[in-house]
Amino acid sequence: MQIQDLPYTDPGVPDARSGPRFLWWLFRNQWGGQLTSLAWGMLHFLSVSALPFCVGLAVQAVVDRSGARLALAGGLLALACVGNALGDTFLHRSAVTNWITAAARIQQLLARRTATLGSALTRRVAAGEVVAVSTGDVEKIGWFVEAVSRFTAAALTIVLVCVGLLVYEPALGVVVTVGLPVLALAVLPLLPRATRRADVQREKAGRATELASDTVAGLRVLRGIGGEELFLDRYRHASQEVRHAAVRSARMWSLISAIQVLLPGLLLIAVVWHGVHLARDGRIGVGELVTVYSSVMILTYPLRHFEEIAMAYSFSRPSATRAARVLSLERATDTAGSRAADVPAGDLYDPATGLLAPTGRLTAVVCGDPDAAGRLAERLGGHPAQTGTSVLLGGIPLDELPLDSARTAVLVQDKDPVLLSGTLRDLLDVPASGAVGAEEALAAAQCEDVLAALAQGSYDAKDPMDARITERGRSLSGGQRQRLALARSLITDPEVLVLDEPTSAVDSHTEARIARGVRSLREDRTTVVFTSSPLLLDSADRVVFLHDDEVAAVGTHHDLLHSDPRYRAVVTRETEDETETRTGTTAGGVPEGGGALRRLEELEELEEIEETA
């Protein structure tokens, strides 16, 4: 796989049982790139290691006054330099390719997992952790994957050089062969502590990233309530904790680096001291001493890769563990599905709660618990975070459909929809049936003032559809974002549209017009709206009231207002004292219910005024 061939057609199925298993899976899926990097690495390191032999041969030729051997040494030196240049260049190229392709594979896997889990992902993993995995962790994992081949080439080169020295000059080769493994293994006792400190740094950095992402996401609200400095102080504290942890980790790695410098120096001193005595006794020549000394000095370069692979693994292991944790998350049911990919039609029914949304009707659902409404909305979409009995569409369980078919059949709009940055045209360019145009959807969602605001804020856009929307629509108000998200949902024209509090941030007059627009545009389609707004409830064909996750009452809005006290308490926001006094009497003996009925009539009159306004 080359960089120009990215993205992968199929990134594969990762082994997400643990961080080390995930790293091994990545390595196995890049055998070709790893072998290429290993081959160029061997050429590079062997060429570097051959330089001392060439220098020693040249020195001995000068001592012996041999022009032929000096020319041979020069030719070998030139050949080693060419091999070094080629090996270093293509080793770097192949290593970077392995790094980028491994990172791209992980990012594709994370993107697919995010798309599969949908909104359930952030309920099981913090959004900041997902961001940390897809940015910093991906880089560290890629570092380890590409460092493995270079480390392998360095280790093989050291073994070959030690064998060569034993053959070339046994007396000094024994010293080098015994000393090099000591150098390579000397830092092993320090690695567990260094790894633990790196883990602590990673954990604190992850928490700081989560805090930063949450703070940025809620910056407008924080500024509105004066909490900006409070959260900035929290981030400063978290940032200082990361700095202290990084310093502690750096100290340990500095100690490891110092040992990697000290021990080779001691080995050089031992080789020179022993070699000088051998040369004085006439047992070896000057050129041989120079060769062995230069070889030991050059071998400190591949020895550095032992330190690098230890650092790469200690940093990448916690990152791989976090990535594996995200990638191991599964949808409650099989995403491939066991039925055909045909999109079913018919009534939407939830056996767990008893909720029934007849086909072609607008059904409003009232829940006393907003969180329960959000969970039920996800369940109706066929991708809940929890297991249980599947929702049925036309008698077919959504969990048995392929994920794409389930989401084509049922579209769920969260109460906090996300607007991606780009133009309005890009925002509305979503998979759709083609039956609903952008103008119709924008009109039904009452987006006229939104279009005017976008056109006014974009000086270079003649058409409002080409106006730019900032990240998450931060330049728009909450109501404007809600209406644009509603228009985007209406354009898709799904078989079943589930809206969770779609008008909670708009005024009552706009809400009344939205209710009429949605009802008109979705006249022959199934629509489910989770709301407690009287204006939306009054426009629904049927209203379902859920209490304790079960259907407690079904009817029209006006009927339920008069017949069900619990429904009335949720919709009219009555307090417990008001509900209790409904059944009692006033101090003068007049039944309190008469006052309640008058209040209901006033509420109905107010709704009629708002609808006609």
Side-chain angles (χ1 to χ4, degrees), residues 103 106-108 110-111 114 127-139 141 319 322-323 326:
I106 300 171
Q107 288 178 331
Q108 277 190 252
L110 289 171
T114 302
E129 182 171 356
V130 178
V131 173
V133 170
S134 60
T135 53
D137 287 339
V138 166
E139 181 179 354
I141 295 171
S319 297
R322 291 203 292 189
V326 175

Side-chain angles (χ1 to χ4, degrees), residues 279-292:
R280 183 184 300 172
D281 296 338
R283 296 169 58 183
I284 64 173
V286 177
E288 294 172 334
L289 177 59
V290 172
T291 298
V292 176

Side-chain angles (χ1 to χ4, degrees), residues 557-564 567-569 571-572 574 582 593-608:
H557 170 56
H558 291 279
D559 292 340
L560 293 178
L561 272 178
H562 291 83
S563 62
D564 196 308
Y567 176 84
R568 184 169 54 244
V571 174
T572 62
E574 285 184 336
R582 249 180 216 291
L597 290 176
R598 284 195 298 273
R599 289 171 54 197
L600 288 175
E601 292 172 356
E602 292 172 358
L603 177 62
E604 294 171 2
E605 291 176 0
L606 177 61
E607 293 172 2
E608 293 177 359

Side-chain angles (χ1 to χ4, degrees), residues 373-384:
R375 291 192 298 269
L376 179 56
E378 281 192 1
R379 181 179 174 79
L380 295 179
H383 44 90

Side-chain angles (χ1 to χ4, degrees), residues 421-465:
S421 59
T423 65
L424 180 58
R425 193 183 309 277
D426 295 334
L427 177 70
L428 301 181
D429 185 15
V430 293
S433 66
V436 178
E439 293 184 1
E440 297 175 275
L442 291 169
Q446 302 300 309
C447 295
E448 293 84 357
D449 62 318
V450 184
L451 296 178
L454 288 174
Q456 185 177 4
S458 301
Y459 300 103
D460 57 342
K462 299 180 180 179
D463 187 348
M465 295 295 291

Side-chain angles (χ1 to χ4, degrees), residues 196-209:
R196 287 195 297 270
R197 292 189 179 185
D199 290 347
V200 172
Q201 179 189 353
R202 281 291 154 291
E203 182 181 355
K204 292 184 179 298
R207 284 202 294 264
T209 302

